[in-house]
PDB file of all heavy atoms in Angstrom:
ATOM      1  N   TYR B 142     182.415 155.351  78.585  1.00  0.00           N
ATOM      2  CA  TYR B 142     181.105 154.938  78.036  1.00  0.00           C
ATOM      3  C   TYR B 142     180.825 155.476  76.739  1.00  0.00           C
ATOM      4  O   TYR B 142     180.184 154.952  75.894  1.00  0.00           O
ATOM      5  CB  TYR B 142     179.994 155.372  79.086  1.00  0.00           C
ATOM      6  CG  TYR B 142     180.202 154.734  80.380  1.00  0.00           C
ATOM      7  CD1 TYR B 142     180.779 155.477  81.435  1.00  0.00           C
ATOM      8  CD2 TYR B 142     179.824 153.409  80.713  1.00  0.00           C
ATOM      9  CE1 TYR B 142     180.931 154.966  82.661  1.00  0.00           C
ATOM     10  CE2 TYR B 142     179.988 152.898  81.960  1.00  0.00           C
ATOM     11  CZ  TYR B 142     180.554 153.716  82.934  1.00  0.00           C
ATOM     12  OH  TYR B 142     180.723 153.144  84.163  1.00  0.00           O
ATOM     13  N   SER B 143     181.263 156.740  76.430  1.00  0.00           N
ATOM     14  CA  SER B 143     180.964 157.429  75.185  1.00  0.00           C
ATOM     15  C   SER B 143     182.100 157.404  74.288  1.00  0.00           C
ATOM     16  O   SER B 143     183.201 157.784  74.608  1.00  0.00           O
ATOM     17  CB  SER B 143     180.617 158.896  75.601  1.00  0.00           C
ATOM     18  OG  SER B 143     180.223 159.557  74.495  1.00  0.00           O
ATOM     19  N   GLY B 146     181.135 158.567  67.546  1.00  0.00           N
ATOM     20  CA  GLY B 146     179.822 158.285  66.956  1.00  0.00           C
ATOM     21  C   GLY B 146     178.790 158.440  68.005  1.00  0.00           C
ATOM     22  O   GLY B 146     177.577 158.411  67.624  1.00  0.00           O
ATOM     23  N   ASP B 147     179.106 158.555  69.344  1.00  0.00           N
ATOM     24  CA  ASP B 147     178.018 158.775  70.304  1.00  0.00           C
ATOM     25  C   ASP B 147     177.792 160.249  70.448  1.00  0.00           C
ATOM     26  O   ASP B 147     178.648 161.052  70.133  1.00  0.00           O
ATOM     27  CB  ASP B 147     178.449 158.107  71.557  1.00  0.00           C
ATOM     28  CG  ASP B 147     178.579 156.646  71.490  1.00  0.00           C
ATOM     29  OD1 ASP B 147     177.925 156.030  70.624  1.00  0.00           O
ATOM     30  OD2 ASP B 147     179.337 156.027  72.314  1.00  0.00           O
ATOM     31  N   ILE B 148     176.659 160.598  71.045  1.00  0.00           N
ATOM     32  CA  ILE B 148     176.325 162.013  71.199  1.00  0.00           C
ATOM     33  C   ILE B 148     176.173 162.374  72.665  1.00  0.00           C
ATOM     34  O   ILE B 148     175.564 161.669  73.397  1.00  0.00           O
ATOM     35  CB  ILE B 148     174.943 162.284  70.506  1.00  0.00           C
ATOM     36  CG1 ILE B 148     175.057 161.825  69.031  1.00  0.00           C
ATOM     37  CG2 ILE B 148     174.612 163.688  70.525  1.00  0.00           C
ATOM     38  CD1 ILE B 148     173.713 161.766  68.330  1.00  0.00           C
ATOM     39  N   VAL B 149     176.794 163.455  73.054  1.00  0.00           N
ATOM     40  CA  VAL B 149     176.769 163.945  74.412  1.00  0.00           C
ATOM     41  C   VAL B 149     176.072 165.344  74.451  1.00  0.00           C
ATOM     42  O   VAL B 149     176.615 166.201  73.733  1.00  0.00           O
ATOM     43  CB  VAL B 149     178.138 163.979  75.083  1.00  0.00           C
ATOM     44  CG1 VAL B 149     178.002 164.268  76.444  1.00  0.00           C
ATOM     45  CG2 VAL B 149     178.784 162.615  74.945  1.00  0.00           C
ATOM     46  N   PHE B 150     175.074 165.556  75.208  1.00  0.00           N
ATOM     47  CA  PHE B 150     174.487 166.846  75.376  1.00  0.00           C
ATOM     48  C   PHE B 150     175.006 167.317  76.739  1.00  0.00           C
ATOM     49  O   PHE B 150     174.772 166.736  77.755  1.00  0.00           O
ATOM     50  CB  PHE B 150     172.947 166.788  75.459  1.00  0.00           C
ATOM     51  CG  PHE B 150     172.381 166.178  74.191  1.00  0.00           C
ATOM     52  CD1 PHE B 150     172.075 164.780  74.132  1.00  0.00           C
ATOM     53  CD2 PHE B 150     172.084 166.883  73.091  1.00  0.00           C
ATOM     54  CE1 PHE B 150     171.578 164.259  73.032  1.00  0.00           C
ATOM     55  CE2 PHE B 150     171.538 166.405  71.960  1.00  0.00           C
ATOM     56  CZ  PHE B 150     171.272 165.032  71.871  1.00  0.00           C
ATOM     57  N   ASP B 169     180.412 163.209  69.573  1.00  0.00           N
ATOM     58  CA  ASP B 169     179.789 164.443  69.081  1.00  0.00           C
ATOM     59  C   ASP B 169     179.245 165.214  70.285  1.00  0.00           C
ATOM     60  O   ASP B 169     178.423 164.652  71.015  1.00  0.00           O
ATOM     61  CB  ASP B 169     178.613 164.136  68.118  1.00  0.00           C
ATOM     62  CG  ASP B 169     179.089 163.376  66.940  1.00  0.00           C
ATOM     63  OD1 ASP B 169     180.238 163.694  66.463  1.00  0.00           O
ATOM     64  OD2 ASP B 169     178.405 162.610  66.389  1.00  0.00           O
ATOM     65  N   LEU B 185     167.499 167.830  71.705  1.00  0.00           N
ATOM     66  CA  LEU B 185     167.062 166.400  71.674  1.00  0.00           C
ATOM     67  C   LEU B 185     166.058 166.149  70.606  1.00  0.00           C
ATOM     68  O   LEU B 185     166.074 165.063  69.955  1.00  0.00           O
ATOM     69  CB  LEU B 185     166.476 166.104  73.040  1.00  0.00           C
ATOM     70  CG  LEU B 185     167.472 165.944  74.233  1.00  0.00           C
ATOM     71  CD1 LEU B 185     166.743 165.981  75.502  1.00  0.00           C
ATOM     72  CD2 LEU B 185     168.302 164.669  73.987  1.00  0.00           C
ATOM     73  N   GLN B 188     167.769 165.813  67.336  1.00  0.00           N
ATOM     74  CA  GLN B 188     168.496 164.592  67.241  1.00  0.00           C
ATOM     75  C   GLN B 188     167.413 163.483  66.958  1.00  0.00           C
ATOM     76  O   GLN B 188     167.740 162.540  66.173  1.00  0.00           O
ATOM     77  CB  GLN B 188     169.192 164.290  68.502  1.00  0.00           C
ATOM     78  CG  GLN B 188     170.019 163.080  68.557  1.00  0.00           C
ATOM     79  CD  GLN B 188     171.030 163.013  67.416  1.00  0.00           C
ATOM     80  OE1 GLN B 188     171.726 163.978  67.046  1.00  0.00           O
ATOM     81  NE2 GLN B 188     171.146 161.910  66.716  1.00  0.00           N
ATOM     82  N   GLU B 189     166.229 163.641  67.563  1.00  0.00           N
ATOM     83  CA  GLU B 189     165.239 162.602  67.277  1.00  0.00           C
ATOM     84  C   GLU B 189     164.783 162.554  65.787  1.00  0.00           C
ATOM     85  O   GLU B 189     164.592 161.505  65.216  1.00  0.00           O
ATOM     86  CB  GLU B 189     164.012 162.966  68.162  1.00  0.00           C
ATOM     87  CG  GLU B 189     163.093 161.774  68.388  1.00  0.00           C
ATOM     88  CD  GLU B 189     161.852 162.108  69.163  1.00  0.00           C
ATOM     89  OE1 GLU B 189     161.471 163.273  69.086  1.00  0.00           O
ATOM     90  OE2 GLU B 189     161.338 161.247  69.832  1.00  0.00           O
ATOM     91  N   ASP B 192     167.385 160.865  63.928  1.00  0.00           N
ATOM     92  CA  ASP B 192     167.335 159.429  64.262  1.00  0.00           C
ATOM     93  C   ASP B 192     166.259 158.794  63.379  1.00  0.00           C
ATOM     94  O   ASP B 192     166.406 157.664  62.912  1.00  0.00           O
ATOM     95  CB  ASP B 192     167.058 159.172  65.727  1.00  0.00           C
ATOM     96  CG  ASP B 192     168.205 159.468  66.543  1.00  0.00           C
ATOM     97  OD1 ASP B 192     169.340 159.668  66.057  1.00  0.00           O
ATOM     98  OD2 ASP B 192     168.113 159.573  67.824  1.00  0.00           O
ATOM     99  N   GLN B 193     165.154 159.486  63.208  1.00  0.00           N
ATOM    100  CA  GLN B 193     164.038 158.874  62.405  1.00  0.00           C
ATOM    101  C   GLN B 193     164.422 158.743  60.938  1.00  0.00           C
ATOM    102  O   GLN B 193     163.963 157.871  60.295  1.00  0.00           O
ATOM    103  CB  GLN B 193     162.800 159.726  62.574  1.00  0.00           C
ATOM    104  CG  GLN B 193     161.958 159.224  63.770  1.00  0.00           C
ATOM    105  CD  GLN B 193     161.101 160.325  64.280  1.00  0.00           C
ATOM    106  OE1 GLN B 193     160.933 161.446  63.698  1.00  0.00           O
ATOM    107  NE2 GLN B 193     160.415 160.082  65.494  1.00  0.00           N
ATOM    108  N   ASN B 195     167.338 158.094  59.969  1.00  0.00           N
ATOM    109  CA  ASN B 195     168.364 157.012  59.784  1.00  0.00           C
ATOM    110  C   ASN B 195     168.292 156.093  61.005  1.00  0.00           C
ATOM    111  O   ASN B 195     169.139 156.088  61.857  1.00  0.00           O
ATOM    112  CB  ASN B 195     169.779 157.659  59.745  1.00  0.00           C
ATOM    113  CG  ASN B 195     170.758 156.743  59.142  1.00  0.00           C
ATOM    114  OD1 ASN B 195     170.576 155.543  59.146  1.00  0.00           O
ATOM    115  ND2 ASN B 195     171.826 157.262  58.687  1.00  0.00           N
ATOM    116  N   PRO B 196     167.253 155.226  61.048  1.00  0.00           N
ATOM    117  CA  PRO B 196     167.037 154.411  62.300  1.00  0.00           C
ATOM    118  C   PRO B 196     168.107 153.413  62.604  1.00  0.00           C
ATOM    119  O   PRO B 196     168.435 153.089  63.668  1.00  0.00           O
ATOM    120  CB  PRO B 196     165.661 153.741  61.959  1.00  0.00           C
ATOM    121  CG  PRO B 196     165.469 153.930  60.555  1.00  0.00           C
ATOM    122  CD  PRO B 196     166.185 155.099  60.083  1.00  0.00           C
ATOM    123  N   LYS B 198     171.331 153.847  62.023  1.00  0.00           N
ATOM    124  CA  LYS B 198     172.474 154.499  62.704  1.00  0.00           C
ATOM    125  C   LYS B 198     172.058 154.821  64.158  1.00  0.00           C
ATOM    126  O   LYS B 198     172.872 154.781  65.086  1.00  0.00           O
ATOM    127  CB  LYS B 198     172.767 155.762  62.021  1.00  0.00           C
ATOM    128  CG  LYS B 198     173.957 156.534  62.603  1.00  0.00           C
ATOM    129  CD  LYS B 198     174.326 157.756  61.730  1.00  0.00           C
ATOM    130  CE  LYS B 198     175.531 158.399  62.376  1.00  0.00           C
ATOM    131  NZ  LYS B 198     175.779 159.661  61.776  1.00  0.00           N
ATOM    132  N   ALA B 199     170.738 155.219  64.302  1.00  0.00           N
ATOM    133  CA  ALA B 199     170.265 155.601  65.622  1.00  0.00           C
ATOM    134  C   ALA B 199     170.359 154.475  66.608  1.00  0.00           C
ATOM    135  O   ALA B 199     170.611 154.625  67.792  1.00  0.00           O
ATOM    136  CB  ALA B 199     168.896 156.085  65.541  1.00  0.00           C
ATOM    137  N   ARG B 200     170.154 153.249  66.096  1.00  0.00           N
ATOM    138  CA  ARG B 200     170.217 152.058  66.953  1.00  0.00           C
ATOM    139  C   ARG B 200     171.507 151.815  67.589  1.00  0.00           C
ATOM    140  O   ARG B 200     171.645 151.299  68.650  1.00  0.00           O
ATOM    141  CB  ARG B 200     169.701 150.834  66.198  1.00  0.00           C
ATOM    142  CG  ARG B 200     168.687 150.030  66.926  1.00  0.00           C
ATOM    143  CD  ARG B 200     168.184 148.832  66.085  1.00  0.00           C
ATOM    144  NE  ARG B 200     167.392 149.332  65.007  1.00  0.00           N
ATOM    145  CZ  ARG B 200     167.390 148.785  63.768  1.00  0.00           C
ATOM    146  NH1 ARG B 200     168.233 147.799  63.505  1.00  0.00           N
ATOM    147  NH2 ARG B 200     166.627 149.182  62.848  1.00  0.00           N
ATOM    148  N   VAL B 201     172.599 152.198  66.861  1.00  0.00           N
ATOM    149  CA  VAL B 201     173.933 151.952  67.391  1.00  0.00           C
ATOM    150  C   VAL B 201     174.597 153.212  68.073  1.00  0.00           C
ATOM    151  O   VAL B 201     175.723 153.212  68.413  1.00  0.00           O
ATOM    152  CB  VAL B 201     174.922 151.463  66.361  1.00  0.00           C
ATOM    153  CG1 VAL B 201     174.531 150.081  65.933  1.00  0.00           C
ATOM    154  CG2 VAL B 201     175.043 152.318  65.215  1.00  0.00           C
ATOM    155  N   THR B 202     173.735 154.347  68.148  1.00  0.00           N
ATOM    156  CA  THR B 202     174.240 155.537  68.712  1.00  0.00           C
ATOM    157  C   THR B 202     173.835 155.683  70.142  1.00  0.00           C
ATOM    158  O   THR B 202     172.691 155.560  70.448  1.00  0.00           O
ATOM    159  CB  THR B 202     173.779 156.805  67.979  1.00  0.00           C
ATOM    160  OG1 THR B 202     173.960 156.529  66.588  1.00  0.00           O
ATOM    161  CG2 THR B 202     174.528 158.036  68.365  1.00  0.00           C
ATOM    162  N   ARG B 203     174.837 155.902  71.052  1.00  0.00           N
ATOM    163  CA  ARG B 203     174.393 156.171  72.473  1.00  0.00           C
ATOM    164  C   ARG B 203     174.298 157.604  72.695  1.00  0.00           C
ATOM    165  O   ARG B 203     175.032 158.410  72.185  1.00  0.00           O
ATOM    166  CB  ARG B 203     175.483 155.591  73.390  1.00  0.00           C
ATOM    167  CG  ARG B 203     175.569 154.077  73.353  1.00  0.00           C
ATOM    168  CD  ARG B 203     176.929 153.590  73.918  1.00  0.00           C
ATOM    169  NE  ARG B 203     177.421 152.533  73.087  1.00  0.00           N
ATOM    170  CZ  ARG B 203     178.646 152.358  72.779  1.00  0.00           C
ATOM    171  NH1 ARG B 203     179.609 153.066  73.275  1.00  0.00           N
ATOM    172  NH2 ARG B 203     179.014 151.417  71.950  1.00  0.00           N
ATOM    173  N   ARG B 204     173.323 157.982  73.582  1.00  0.00           N
ATOM    174  CA  ARG B 204     173.128 159.373  73.913  1.00  0.00           C
ATOM    175  C   ARG B 204     173.296 159.654  75.326  1.00  0.00           C
ATOM    176  O   ARG B 204     172.791 158.861  76.183  1.00  0.00           O
ATOM    177  CB  ARG B 204     171.689 159.786  73.511  1.00  0.00           C
ATOM    178  CG  ARG B 204     171.594 160.086  71.947  1.00  0.00           C
ATOM    179  CD  ARG B 204     170.150 159.928  71.476  1.00  0.00           C
ATOM    180  NE  ARG B 204     170.084 159.006  70.415  1.00  0.00           N
ATOM    181  CZ  ARG B 204     169.518 157.805  70.469  1.00  0.00           C
ATOM    182  NH1 ARG B 204     168.961 157.433  71.605  1.00  0.00           N
ATOM    183  NH2 ARG B 204     169.523 157.014  69.428  1.00  0.00           N
ATOM    184  N   PHE B 205     173.968 160.711  75.733  1.00  0.00           N
ATOM    185  CA  PHE B 205     174.225 161.001  77.129  1.00  0.00           C
ATOM    186  C   PHE B 205     173.919 162.439  77.393  1.00  0.00           C
ATOM    187  O   PHE B 205     174.094 163.269  76.459  1.00  0.00           O
ATOM    188  CB  PHE B 205     175.711 160.769  77.500  1.00  0.00           C
ATOM    189  CG  PHE B 205     176.167 159.307  77.268  1.00  0.00           C
ATOM    190  CD1 PHE B 205     176.897 158.978  76.062  1.00  0.00           C
ATOM    191  CD2 PHE B 205     175.914 158.398  78.284  1.00  0.00           C
ATOM    192  CE1 PHE B 205     177.231 157.667  75.923  1.00  0.00           C
ATOM    193  CE2 PHE B 205     176.385 157.081  78.047  1.00  0.00           C
ATOM    194  CZ  PHE B 205     177.041 156.740  76.871  1.00  0.00           C
ATOM    195  N   ILE B 206     173.500 162.776  78.572  1.00  0.00           N
ATOM    196  CA  ILE B 206     173.370 164.152  79.032  1.00  0.00           C
ATOM    197  C   ILE B 206     174.313 164.278  80.218  1.00  0.00           C
ATOM    198  O   ILE B 206     174.295 163.522  81.207  1.00  0.00           O
ATOM    199  CB  ILE B 206     171.902 164.438  79.490  1.00  0.00           C
ATOM    200  CG1 ILE B 206     170.995 164.138  78.332  1.00  0.00           C
ATOM    201  CG2 ILE B 206     171.791 165.851  79.941  1.00  0.00           C
ATOM    202  CD1 ILE B 206     169.555 164.359  78.721  1.00  0.00           C
ATOM    203  N   VAL B 207     175.259 165.204  80.171  1.00  0.00           N
ATOM    204  CA  VAL B 207     176.168 165.469  81.274  1.00  0.00           C
ATOM    205  C   VAL B 207     175.881 166.742  81.913  1.00  0.00           C
ATOM    206  O   VAL B 207     175.865 167.788  81.242  1.00  0.00           O
ATOM    207  CB  VAL B 207     177.656 165.380  80.720  1.00  0.00           C
ATOM    208  CG1 VAL B 207     178.618 165.702  81.896  1.00  0.00           C
ATOM    209  CG2 VAL B 207     177.937 164.094  80.129  1.00  0.00           C
ATOM    210  N   LYS B 228     165.079 162.674  80.065  1.00  0.00           N
ATOM    211  CA  LYS B 228     165.835 161.415  79.851  1.00  0.00           C
ATOM    212  C   LYS B 228     164.955 160.323  79.404  1.00  0.00           C
ATOM    213  O   LYS B 228     165.219 159.619  78.399  1.00  0.00           O
ATOM    214  CB  LYS B 228     166.469 161.060  81.197  1.00  0.00           C
ATOM    215  CG  LYS B 228     166.955 159.659  81.221  1.00  0.00           C
ATOM    216  CD  LYS B 228     167.304 159.148  82.584  1.00  0.00           C
ATOM    217  CE  LYS B 228     167.403 157.709  82.654  1.00  0.00           C
ATOM    218  NZ  LYS B 228     168.069 157.111  83.756  1.00  0.00           N
ATOM    219  N   TYR B 231     163.436 161.106  75.738  1.00  0.00           N
ATOM    220  CA  TYR B 231     164.256 161.023  74.536  1.00  0.00           C
ATOM    221  C   TYR B 231     165.271 159.934  74.647  1.00  0.00           C
ATOM    222  O   TYR B 231     166.200 159.793  73.860  1.00  0.00           O
ATOM    223  CB  TYR B 231     164.947 162.329  74.320  1.00  0.00           C
ATOM    224  CG  TYR B 231     163.995 163.442  73.966  1.00  0.00           C
ATOM    225  CD1 TYR B 231     163.471 164.368  74.849  1.00  0.00           C
ATOM    226  CD2 TYR B 231     163.505 163.503  72.628  1.00  0.00           C
ATOM    227  CE1 TYR B 231     162.605 165.311  74.477  1.00  0.00           C
ATOM    228  CE2 TYR B 231     162.596 164.559  72.241  1.00  0.00           C
ATOM    229  CZ  TYR B 231     162.156 165.446  73.231  1.00  0.00           C
ATOM    230  OH  TYR B 231     161.314 166.388  72.854  1.00  0.00           O
ATOM    231  N   LYS B 232     165.207 159.104  75.708  1.00  0.00           N
ATOM    232  CA  LYS B 232     166.065 157.906  75.815  1.00  0.00           C
ATOM    233  C   LYS B 232     167.592 158.305  75.822  1.00  0.00           C
ATOM    234  O   LYS B 232     168.303 157.884  74.970  1.00  0.00           O
ATOM    235  CB  LYS B 232     165.844 156.896  74.765  1.00  0.00           C
ATOM    236  CG  LYS B 232     164.397 156.533  74.537  1.00  0.00           C
ATOM    237  CD  LYS B 232     163.876 155.592  75.684  1.00  0.00           C
ATOM    238  CE  LYS B 232     162.534 155.122  75.453  1.00  0.00           C
ATOM    239  NZ  LYS B 232     161.558 156.167  75.768  1.00  0.00           N
ATOM    240  N   ALA B 233     167.961 159.151  76.759  1.00  0.00           N
ATOM    241  CA  ALA B 233     169.413 159.468  76.915  1.00  0.00           C
ATOM    242  C   ALA B 233     169.748 159.105  78.331  1.00  0.00           C
ATOM    243  O   ALA B 233     168.946 159.067  79.195  1.00  0.00           O
ATOM    244  CB  ALA B 233     169.557 160.936  76.620  1.00  0.00           C
ATOM    245  N   ARG B 234     171.081 158.849  78.541  1.00  0.00           N
ATOM    246  CA  ARG B 234     171.556 158.479  79.889  1.00  0.00           C
ATOM    247  C   ARG B 234     172.041 159.788  80.517  1.00  0.00           C
ATOM    248  O   ARG B 234     172.676 160.645  79.948  1.00  0.00           O
ATOM    249  CB  ARG B 234     172.719 157.543  79.823  1.00  0.00           C
ATOM    250  CG  ARG B 234     172.363 156.224  79.122  1.00  0.00           C
ATOM    251  CD  ARG B 234     171.657 155.358  79.996  1.00  0.00           C
ATOM    252  NE  ARG B 234     171.323 154.066  79.330  1.00  0.00           N
ATOM    253  CZ  ARG B 234     170.537 153.129  79.880  1.00  0.00           C
ATOM    254  NH1 ARG B 234     170.015 153.373  81.073  1.00  0.00           N
ATOM    255  NH2 ARG B 234     170.314 152.036  79.296  1.00  0.00           N
ATOM    256  N   ILE B 235     171.863 159.888  81.836  1.00  0.00           N
ATOM    257  CA  ILE B 235     172.276 161.071  82.602  1.00  0.00           C
ATOM    258  C   ILE B 235     173.588 160.753  83.357  1.00  0.00           C
ATOM    259  O   ILE B 235     173.591 159.796  84.156  1.00  0.00           O
ATOM    260  CB  ILE B 235     171.220 161.576  83.509  1.00  0.00           C
ATOM    261  CG1 ILE B 235     169.966 161.969  82.811  1.00  0.00           C
ATOM    262  CG2 ILE B 235     171.696 162.816  84.288  1.00  0.00           C
ATOM    263  CD1 ILE B 235     168.939 162.612  83.704  1.00  0.00           C
ATOM    264  N   PHE B 236     174.570 161.639  83.192  1.00  0.00           N
ATOM    265  CA  PHE B 236     175.818 161.566  84.024  1.00  0.00           C
ATOM    266  C   PHE B 236     175.727 162.786  84.908  1.00  0.00           C
ATOM    267  O   PHE B 236     175.764 163.928  84.392  1.00  0.00           O
ATOM    268  CB  PHE B 236     176.977 161.539  83.172  1.00  0.00           C
ATOM    269  CG  PHE B 236     177.314 160.181  82.527  1.00  0.00           C
ATOM    270  CD1 PHE B 236     176.525 159.153  82.736  1.00  0.00           C
ATOM    271  CD2 PHE B 236     178.458 160.031  81.740  1.00  0.00           C
ATOM    272  CE1 PHE B 236     176.756 157.847  82.180  1.00  0.00           C
ATOM    273  CE2 PHE B 236     178.716 158.803  81.124  1.00  0.00           C
ATOM    274  CZ  PHE B 236     177.900 157.748  81.364  1.00  0.00           C
ATOM    275  N   ASP B 265     172.055 157.508  85.895  1.00  0.00           N
ATOM    276  CA  ASP B 265     172.877 156.426  85.451  1.00  0.00           C
ATOM    277  C   ASP B 265     174.203 156.416  86.163  1.00  0.00           C
ATOM    278  O   ASP B 265     174.685 155.337  86.465  1.00  0.00           O
ATOM    279  CB  ASP B 265     172.910 156.419  84.008  1.00  0.00           C
ATOM    280  CG  ASP B 265     171.597 156.341  83.363  1.00  0.00           C
ATOM    281  OD1 ASP B 265     171.028 155.181  83.281  1.00  0.00           O
ATOM    282  OD2 ASP B 265     171.116 157.366  82.878  1.00  0.00           O
TER     283      ASP B 265
END
Side-chain angles (χ1 to χ4, degrees):
Chain B
Y142 301 98
S143 183
D147 297 335
I148 304 169
V149 184
F150 301 94
D169 298 326
L185 286 166
Q188 186 56 42
E189 200 181 30
D192 288 348
Q193 273 155 7
N195 199 339
K198 182 175 182 192
R200 226 176 290 140
V201 292
T202 311
R203 290 164 224 142
R204 282 160 233 108
F205 300 97
I206 300 175
V207 177
K228 165 195 164 162
Y231 293 99
K232 310 284 184 284
R234 301 280 182 190
I235 298 188
F236 282 2
D265 300 282

